Amino acid sequence: MITHSNFGLAFGLTLFAGLTTAIGGAVAFITKKDNLKALSFGLGFSAGVMIFISFVDIIPGAEKLLQVNFPHMFQWMVFAGFILGICTSMLIDYFLPDHVDTDELLNPDDMEVASRSHSKLKRAGLLTAIAICIHNFPEGLATFLTTTQDITLGVSVAFAIAIHNIPEGISVALPIYHVTGKKRYAMLYATLSGITEPIGALFGVFIFGLFVPQILVGILMAAVAGIMTYISFDTLLPLAKEYGDWHLSIMGIISGILFIWISLIML
């Protein structure tokens, strides 16, 4: 149930999820890609959680919100909201993709001479940070809206997004560090790249401050499910495969589904 009393917790969870890009910035300095296989399981786990929540809880919740006033059209409205979420994510991805060549970033010594130029590395780091900022805004909105609907779901979504923000922090920190040679700058950019998630939460507060009608809340929740599904298939699963054994990723997906399933049963 969506209540204003959950706003503080929803914002706190979104802030936590966003600032985990700083963890990625720290990880970039203490390990190499070969030692990041644990992320493969974690990213698969996140995808399992987000996909399961989207189809098992968020979409049915959106249907309940809309069914009261639109008993004959609520399913189509939820479907439209879901497509809206996917299209929003696809448009952001099209105009400003956040995909980077992880091999080049994690192994800068193996790059060609032209690609190792400081100007190109700095540009890569800055553009990656900007792209991640834009991508993180709808993630922050998704975490906030989910928490206002159900605290248990919100915690799960925040945890899943926090895990996938770690490699994002790595992709920002490494090029900045190799250009400046200063860890504090790399950490600063990695941390700032996640700041738009709590900004997305503030946007959610603004939405509810307008006392939006139930129809809009239901469609927004369906859009959140679309955003989370797109993130899972477009970002989390490809990264999970890249960072380690695909079978480890599959185990993460299954574990994430079972974990959130049990959590919903118990809570």
Side-chain angles (χ1 to χ4, degrees):
M1 182 176 179
I2 299 175
T3 62
H4 289 70
S5 62
N6 293 341
F7 280 14
L9 177 61
F11 182 80
L13 286 173
T14 307
L15 180 64
F16 158 75
L19 294 183
T20 51
T21 53
I23 297 177
V27 169
F29 308 126
I30 61 176
T31 188
K32 295 181 179 180
K33 185 180 180 183
D34 291 342
N35 296 324
L36 291 175
K37 289 187 177 180
L39 275 178
S40 182
F41 179 89
L43 291 166
F45 184 94
S46 298
V49 167
M50 293 174 72
I51 293 170
F52 187 87
I53 285 176
S54 293
F55 288 98
V56 173
D57 203 281
I58 294 181
I59 289 178
E63 289 179 341
K64 288 181 181 178
L65 286 171
L66 295 172
Q67 188 175 10
V68 176
N69 296 317
F70 304 93
H72 303 296
M73 293 183 59
F74 70 94
Q75 290 178 318
W76 283 109
M77 295 173 72
V78 170
F79 179 78
F82 184 83
I83 296 300
L84 175 65
I86 291 179
C87 290
T88 300
S89 298
M90 289 180 67
L91 285 173
I92 293 174
D93 229 8
Y94 177 79
F95 288 107
L96 194 57
D98 66 344
H99 305 300
V100 294
D101 191 326
T102 312
D103 284 326
E104 291 186 350
L105 292 176
L106 291 170
N107 301 286
D109 294 335
D110 296 333
M111 296 169 64
E112 296 179 359
V113 175
S115 298
R116 281 182 296 179
S117 67
H118 279 199
S119 61
K120 288 187 177 181
L121 272 176
K122 186 176 182 179
R123 182 174 181 274
L126 292 175
L127 288 179
T128 301
I130 293 171
I132 289 174
C133 280
I134 295 175
H135 279 260
N136 282 350
F137 180 85
E139 293 177 13
L141 180 60
T143 304
F144 179 84
L145 290 177
T146 305
T147 305
T148 58
Q149 182 194 37
D150 188 299
I151 293 176
T152 302
L153 291 180
V155 171
S156 300
V157 171
F159 178 70
I161 289 178
I163 292 177
H164 112 262
N165 278 348
I166 293 176
E168 289 185 349
I170 293 173
S171 66
V172 172
L174 276 175
I176 297 297
Y177 175 63
H178 285 290
V179 169
T180 65
K182 297 181 179 180
K183 293 182 179 179
R184 64 177 181 272
Y185 286 160
M187 285 292 297
L188 175 63
Y189 279 101
T191 303
L192 290 178
S193 68
I195 202 68
T196 50
E197 292 208 7
I199 293 176
L202 290 176
F203 181 72
V205 174
F206 173 74
I207 289 176
F208 285 112
L210 296 176
F211 299 102
V212 295
Q214 199 172 34
I215 175 177
L216 183 56
V217 176
I219 293 175
L220 280 174
M221 291 306 301
V224 163
I227 290 170
M228 289 170 54
T229 301
Y230 183 86
I231 290 170
S232 297
F233 285 103
D234 181 69
T235 302
L236 299 186
L237 295 181
L239 276 177
K241 185 175 182 180
E242 181 178 347
Y243 275 107
D245 188 339
W246 181 236
H247 293 289
L248 193 61
S249 305
I250 295 297
M251 292 303 298
I253 295 170
I254 295 172
S255 298
I257 291 173
L258 295 178
F259 172 80
I260 190 59
W261 197 344
I262 292 174
S263 297
L264 291 174
I265 292 173
M266 295 179 63
L267 301 175

